[in-house]
């Protein structure tokens, strides 16, 4: 019998896609079957399609992402009777694994209703619930998840087996009769979970087991509770994330329609929002003008907020990562008891295991950007640009900070989740697990390995060792070239699209000349680049210590500008003589053009944590908040903007710091100084990038590197490039979180040409 075969590619497993196809077939009276396999979803239909292919794209389930619908003719040996959903076939995957998704409205209504899932903390369906955090292997079936120990009760199995039910083949399906349970632990004793609200109302701190790990929660409006959490966790200033219902968030922050949409997204990320309305304690986010907010995204979070809100309507909770300083988030019950006992007054536990730790994703709506790509956003694939159709399988291993892994296969790039700093032992274990994990989940067998040029990065050593062991080609990629390539790939820039002027501003990356780069204008494509401009290099006195102690960067910049006396007056307690001797002799003082360290220098001149930062980027974030405050209160970004002087390809900083010093002597407000610095950096690099476009050497400008997470600098640079084509990061991080993608596409491009 004549018929058709339909191949659907994309994020189509674990999202209710097969019952969706079954319903479409029932409506049309079609006969055949649908199944999952390693390439996605496969449909076979006897007779005419009656618009089925079109409906697949137009009416797909909420969590589905359809990349392709491919139709071909098929001959049936025997005419099928009815339409069936049949068992999954094959192992491994060419398709996406669905990210975890926030509780859907239907499940939330059940939790708040009177049915058998009333107040049940593990309610889910095919439109919501855990996916990647419970998955052990493919195909995505219950036996391959951490739900395997929980045998379905008859009621749940009936829903699971009914194609007309929204829980048809919802692998984490559960109810109070058969699923995981939640409890409160206090003083080593198990207590009813409902008592958690009283602990929080008394100013206590609770460790809450979520989807990808534990959080530490406390009353965000209680200054004493927030201070206690900071003291116990030894986290003096890094901003805390917050959780609340949308009505609560609007009391403390500006929420645009775009921001509300991000908050309500199934990924349920942390969204950075401008402070407004009622004030929370300054200790929630010291020195910042924005706060990181998220909505409750699991039934447990909804129930927690409900218990907490009794008699305390509208007060938010701090919801920060549960971990020891520098370590990744805790995920196991025993691990939590061992490591978090000194932080908390109680544990809100459950007995469903977490298969892999995932931090909360962090995003911004204006300008659109992803600062941390994790829970709810991974795993996911990005189609490679035109020209990469024949690319081999590549593994890119990223950098040392904000580590992530990228795999290329069949025209798609899979960028893994945020892992963190690889010097930390547990993070390194997570990196090695992720390497094996993604390879197994996606049936990946690389022919090429791509790493950072820096030989001492742990990821670089790992990649080199693997290439040598398995006989694979090794490609070493310069750090800032990888940043540029990542931005190009995210924007779909073709392999033969021509050269791009890349403004690459970040902290540190080994340059081709052996110095440390970080404030660069590159002219390049996937195959190579030329360095066409850079910040005047300065010594990093003390090496890594220069990243933690901003005064060191200010000292060398002021000295070079002939302002040693100002440096002496600003930093009287610092060991200036020893630092100057080290710089003069080049002892542990490598030259660097880092834009990140320039931010630190300016911040230190303004008295912003000059002696030591308590977390990475603290000085720069506080400096941005100052500048944003000036702009919001009528200060002009153009008027009084500082300028760099040009010396060939070098943006010299001497005149810049002389102007800054004059402003300080004249009593110009620190907010205005901060704004003038941002404007100078934006205009200085934009002017040079524009010249490459106008000369015909470049066809577009790309903004990349971790410094472009600075929303103000991002806006000012775009304003200076207003009439030019600009490539920006929107769905992938500008920081080292996308570095592995850049490495992988560069290695793929070179392999295509060889």
């Amino acid at each position: 019998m004549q018929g058709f075969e339909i191949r659907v590619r994309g994020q189509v497993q674990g999202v209710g896609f097969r019952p969706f196809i079954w319903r479409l077939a029932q409506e049309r009276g079609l006969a055949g079957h649908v199944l999952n396999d390693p390439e996605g979803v496969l449909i076979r239909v006897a007779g005419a399609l009656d618009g089925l292919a079109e409906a697949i794209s137009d009416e797909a389930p909420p969590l589905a992402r359809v990349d392709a619908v491919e139709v071909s003719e098929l001959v049936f040996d025997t005419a099928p009777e009815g339409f069936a959903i049949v068992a999954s076939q094959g192992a491994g995957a060419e398709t996406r694994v669905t990210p975890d998704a926030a509780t859907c409205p239907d499940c939330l209504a059940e939790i708040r209703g009177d049915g058998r899932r009333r107040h049940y903390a593990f309610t889910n369906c095919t439109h919501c619930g855990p996916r990647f955090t419970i998955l052990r292997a493919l195909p995505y079936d219950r036996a391959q998840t951490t739900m395997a120990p929980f045998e379905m009760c008859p009621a749940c199995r009936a829903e699971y087996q009914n194609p007309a039910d929204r829980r048809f083949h919802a692998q984490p399906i559960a109810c109070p009769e058969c699923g995981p349970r939640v409890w409160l632990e206090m003083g080593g004793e198990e207590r009813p979970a409902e008592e958690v609200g009283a602990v929080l109302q008394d100013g206590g701190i609770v460790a809450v087991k979520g989807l990808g790990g534990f959080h530490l929660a406390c009353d965000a409006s209680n200054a004493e509770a927030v201070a206690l959490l900071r003291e116990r966790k030894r986290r003096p200033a890094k901003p805390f994330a917050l959780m609340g219902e949308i009505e609560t968030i609007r009391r403390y922050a500006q929420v645009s329609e775009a921001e509300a949409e991000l908050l309500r997204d199934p990924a349920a990320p942390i969204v950075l929002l401008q402070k407004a309305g009622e004030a929370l304690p300054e200790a929630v986010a010291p020195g910042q003008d924005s706060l990181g907010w998220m909505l409750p995204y699991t039934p447990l979070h909804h129930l927690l907020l409900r218990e907490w809100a009794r008699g305390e309507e509208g007060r938010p909770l701090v919801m920060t990562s549960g971990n020891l300083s520098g370590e990744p988030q805790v995920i196991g019950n025993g691990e939590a008891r061992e490591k978090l006992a000194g932080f908390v007054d109680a544990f809100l536990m459950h007995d469903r295991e977490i298969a892999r730790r995932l931090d909360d994703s962090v995003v911004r709506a204006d300008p659109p950007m992803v600062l941390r790509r994790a829970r709810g956003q991974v795993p996911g694939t990005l189609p490679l640009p035109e020209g990469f159709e024949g690319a081999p399988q590549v593994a890119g291993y990223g950098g040392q900070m904000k580590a992530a892994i990228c795999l290329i296969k069949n025209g798609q790039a899979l960028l893994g989740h945020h892992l963190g700093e690889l010097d930390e032992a547990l993070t390194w274990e997570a990196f090695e697990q992720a390497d094996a994990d993604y390879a197994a989940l996606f049936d990946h067998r690389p022919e090429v390995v791509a790493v950072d040029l820096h030989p001492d990065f742990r990821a670089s050593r790992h990649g080199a060792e693997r290439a040598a062991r398995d006989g694979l080609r090794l490609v070493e990629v310069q750090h800032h070239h990888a940043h540029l390539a990542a931005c190009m790939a995210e924007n779909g820039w073709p392999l033969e699209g021509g050269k791009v002027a890349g403004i690459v501003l970040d902290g540190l990356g080994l340059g081709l000349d052996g110095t440390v780069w970080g404030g660069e204008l590159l002219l390049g494509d996937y195959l190579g680049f030329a360095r066409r401009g850079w910040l005047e290099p300065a010594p990093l006195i003390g090496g890594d210590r220069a990243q933690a102690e901003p005064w060191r960067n200010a000292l060398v910049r002021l000295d070079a500008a002939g302002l040693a006396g100002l440096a002496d007056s600003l930093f009287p307690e610092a060991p200036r003589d020893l630092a100057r001797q080290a710089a003069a002799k080049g002892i542990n003082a490598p030259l660097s053009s880092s834009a990140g360290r320039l931010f630190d220098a300016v911040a230190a001149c303004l008295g912003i944590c000059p002696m030591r930062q308590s977390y990475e980027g603290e000085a720069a974030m506080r400096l941005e908040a100052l500048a944003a405050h000036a702009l919001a209160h009528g200060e002009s970004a153009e008027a009084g903007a500082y300028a760099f002087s040009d010396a060939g390809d070098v943006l010299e900083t001497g005149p810049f710091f002389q102007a800054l010093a004059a402003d300080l002597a004249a009593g110009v407000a620190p907010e205005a100084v901060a704004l003038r610095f941002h404007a100078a950096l934006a205009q200085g690099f934009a002017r040079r990038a524009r010249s490459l476009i106008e000369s015909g050497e470049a066809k577009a400008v790309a903004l990349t590197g971790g410094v472009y997470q600075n929303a103000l600098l991002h806006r000012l640079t775009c304003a200076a490039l207003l009439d030019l084509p600009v490539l920006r990061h929107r769905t992938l991080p500008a920081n080292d979180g996308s570095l592995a993608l850049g490495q992988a596409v560069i290695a793929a491009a070179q392999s295509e040409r060889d």
Side-chain angles (χ1 to χ4, degrees):
M1 183 178 182
Q2 196 68 31
F4 295 91
E5 184 173 88
I6 304 176
R7 160 67 63 199
V8 187
R9 303 184 189 276
Q11 184 173 290
V12 291
Q13 294 186 10
V15 296
F17 210 88
R18 289 177 299 167
F20 158 67
I21 297 297
W22 180 86
R23 287 191 292 272
L24 291 180
Q26 295 297 317
E27 292 168 3
R28 289 162 173 77
L30 301 177
H33 62 258
V34 58
L35 58 90
N36 286 340
D37 71 1
E39 295 185 52
V41 168
L42 187 64
I43 308 159
R44 295 189 177 103
V45 175
L49 290 177
D50 192 21
L52 178 63
E54 293 76 15
I56 289 172
S57 295
D58 296 342
E59 304 173 27
L63 298 182
R65 301 290 183 272
V66 177
D67 291 338
V69 179
E70 303 163 0
V71 181
S72 58
E73 293 185 354
L74 176 71
V75 176
F76 284 85
D77 293 333
T78 304
E81 295 183 7
F83 195 89
I85 297 175
V86 300
S88 302
Q89 295 180 3
E94 309 285 342
T95 188
R96 302 180 196 170
V97 175
T98 307
D100 301 270
T103 306
C104 71
D106 288 336
C107 285
L108 186 56
E110 276 191 273
I111 297 164
R112 293 173 174 171
D114 296 322
R116 67 190 184 93
R117 290 190 175 90
R118 174 177 170 80
H119 296 174
Y120 184 55
F122 303 93
T123 303
N124 66 85
C125 68
T126 55
H127 300 154
C128 69
R131 299 291 194 278
F132 195 47
T133 51
I134 64 170
L135 182 66
R136 295 195 188 280
L138 288 175
Y140 176 60
D141 290 324
R142 190 180 183 94
Q144 307 269 45
T145 74
T146 59
M147 286 297 296
F150 303 96
E151 186 175 349
M152 292 181 217
C153 67
C156 283
R157 183 162 295 281
E159 293 170 327
Y160 180 85
Q161 294 176 339
N162 181 3
D165 194 289
R166 79 174 196 278
R167 292 194 168 91
F168 177 76
H169 281 217
Q171 305 304 336
I173 187 173
C175 76
E177 289 294 319
C178 62
R181 67 183 190 93
V182 61
W183 67 92
L184 189 72
E185 283 186 19
M186 293 182 65
E189 296 182 0
E190 185 174 320
R191 308 280 287 274
E194 291 75 15
E195 294 184 17
V196 67
V199 178
L200 293 166
Q201 288 169 16
D202 288 342
I205 299 165
V206 179
V208 180
K209 188 176 184 181
L211 277 181
F214 277 78
H215 289 105
L216 302 180
C218 73
D219 178 1
S221 66
N222 184 333
E224 292 182 0
V226 175
L228 180 63
L229 176 56
R230 288 205 175 278
E231 179 185 349
R232 289 180 177 178
K233 199 177 179 186
R234 298 180 183 176
R235 182 173 166 172
K238 191 173 183 179
F240 286 144
L242 299 163
M243 179 176 283
E245 302 287 0
I246 189 68
E247 297 80 9
T248 301
I249 296 174
R250 291 186 190 278
R251 287 175 51 193
Y252 300 97
Q254 295 177 8
V255 185
S256 67
E257 285 303 314
E259 288 164 339
E261 187 175 342
L262 273 179
L263 285 165
R264 295 188 181 109
D265 188 89
I270 296 170
V271 182
L272 298 185
L273 302 174
Q274 192 74 26
K275 292 180 181 178
E278 299 178 35
L280 290 169
E282 175 65 13
V284 170
Q288 303 303 314
D289 63 346
S290 61
L291 297 171
W293 289 92
M294 57 182 159
L295 295 176
Y297 56 84
T298 71
L300 182 60
H301 290 121
H302 282 284
L303 294 168
L304 173 62
L305 285 181
R306 174 182 172 276
E307 293 297 329
W308 159 236
R310 288 181 176 178
E312 304 290 345
E313 195 66 39
R315 280 163 58 179
L317 292 174
V318 165
M319 197 66 71
T320 190
S321 294
N323 62 304
L324 296 177
S325 180
E327 289 191 1
Q329 199 173 14
V330 167
I331 62 173
N333 292 355
E335 183 187 14
R337 294 183 187 105
E338 175 188 348
K339 294 186 174 181
L340 304 182
F343 297 177
V344 304
D345 302 293
F347 295 88
L348 192 59
M349 297 283 207
H350 62 74
D351 56 354
R352 184 180 68 201
E353 289 186 36
I354 298 171
R356 57 182 56 76
R357 77 182 84 231
L358 286 179
D359 289 301
D360 296 310
S361 294
V362 182
V363 303
R364 190 193 297 273
D366 182 25
M369 62 174 68
V370 173
L371 289 86
R372 185 168 69 202
R373 188 170 178 272
R375 178 195 49 75
Q377 296 186 335
V378 293
T381 58
L382 177 78
L384 294 178
E386 178 185 340
F388 285 91
E389 292 80 6
Q393 293 191 36
V394 181
Y397 283 120
Q400 184 75 5
M401 307 283 287
K402 300 174 179 63
I405 291 169
C406 182
L407 306 181
I408 282 180
K409 181 179 180 182
N410 291 349
Q412 299 283 320
L414 168 82
L415 181 62
H417 58 283
H418 168 88
L419 291 163
E421 163 60 63
L422 295 185
D423 275 343
E424 164 54 44
L426 290 178
T427 306
W428 178 247
E429 289 180 13
F431 178 93
E432 293 183 306
Q433 178 190 357
D435 188 24
D437 205 14
Y438 282 118
L441 287 175
F442 295 92
D443 194 22
H444 191 263
R445 298 176 178 84
E447 303 166 44
V448 184
V449 169
V451 299
D452 191 273
L453 185 64
H454 199 304
D456 294 331
F457 282 0
R458 294 192 77 173
S460 298
R461 295 200 302 268
H462 174 82
E465 290 166 3
R466 181 178 186 187
R469 181 186 69 239
D470 298 341
L472 308 177
R473 177 180 177 180
L474 178 69
V475 177
E476 296 176 327
V477 181
Q478 199 280 322
H479 191 90
H480 300 90
H481 187 204
H483 272 304
L484 173 59
C487 188
M488 294 165 63
E490 180 182 342
N491 286 272
W493 193 261
L495 180 59
E496 303 293 344
K499 295 187 184 299
V500 170
I503 303 176
V504 191
L505 307 182
D506 69 352
L508 304 171
L510 180 63
L512 297 180
D513 59 358
T515 67
V516 181
W517 294 1
E520 318 302 319
L521 176 66
L522 304 183
L523 176 64
D525 54 20
Y526 297 108
L527 293 169
F529 71 95
R531 195 181 184 210
R532 297 295 296 270
W534 57 91
L535 288 171
E536 179 182 359
L540 294 174
I541 303 173
D544 289 344
R545 292 186 69 179
Q547 298 184 62
E549 300 177 12
W551 70 269
R552 296 172 180 269
N553 304 290
L555 179 76
V556 295
R557 291 293 183 183
L558 291 172
D559 282 2
L563 298 166
L566 177 58
D568 291 340
S569 66
L570 288 174
F571 315 114
E573 304 301 321
R576 302 183 308 282
D577 291 342
L578 288 175
R580 284 168 171 149
Q581 291 174 25
K585 296 179 180 179
I587 299 173
N588 195 23
L591 288 176
S592 174
S593 59
S594 169
R597 302 295 75 79
L598 187 65
F599 268 85
D600 292 346
V602 174
C605 289
L606 296 181
I608 299 173
C609 47
M611 300 312 293
R612 188 165 188 85
Q613 302 187 75
S614 67
Y615 61 91
E616 182 199 1
E618 179 181 5
M621 289 171 65
R622 288 176 179 257
L623 188 67
E624 179 189 3
L626 273 184
H629 182 270
L631 195 62
H633 287 78
E635 189 80 24
S636 169
E638 288 75 27
Y642 305 132
F644 298 93
S645 64
D646 293 340
D649 292 327
V650 180
L651 280 74
E652 293 188 326
T653 62
F656 166 93
F657 277 96
Q658 290 165 3
L660 185 151
D663 276 354
L664 292 179
V668 174
E671 292 87 349
V673 173
L675 180 58
R676 292 172 185 181
F677 162 63
H678 279 75
L681 197 60
Q683 293 170 13
F685 275 97
R687 183 179 69 254
R688 285 173 166 266
R690 179 179 289 277
S691 70
L692 292 178
I693 297 281
E694 292 174 347
S695 69
E697 294 179 85
K699 294 189 175 181
V701 181
L703 309 182
T704 187
V707 171
Y708 272 115
Q709 293 180 140
N710 181 315
L712 177 58
L713 181 68
H714 189 284
R715 292 190 191 100
L716 292 175
T717 308
C718 287
L721 299 168
L722 185 60
D723 56 330
L724 301 179
V726 178
L727 311 180
R728 297 173 286 172
H729 293 280
R730 289 182 173 84
T731 61
L732 303 180
N735 60 36
D736 284 6
S738 63
L739 199 68
L741 170 65
Q743 295 169 349
V745 293
I746 287 170
Q750 292 183 7
S751 298
E752 286 278 86
R753 287 297 176 88
D754 291 349

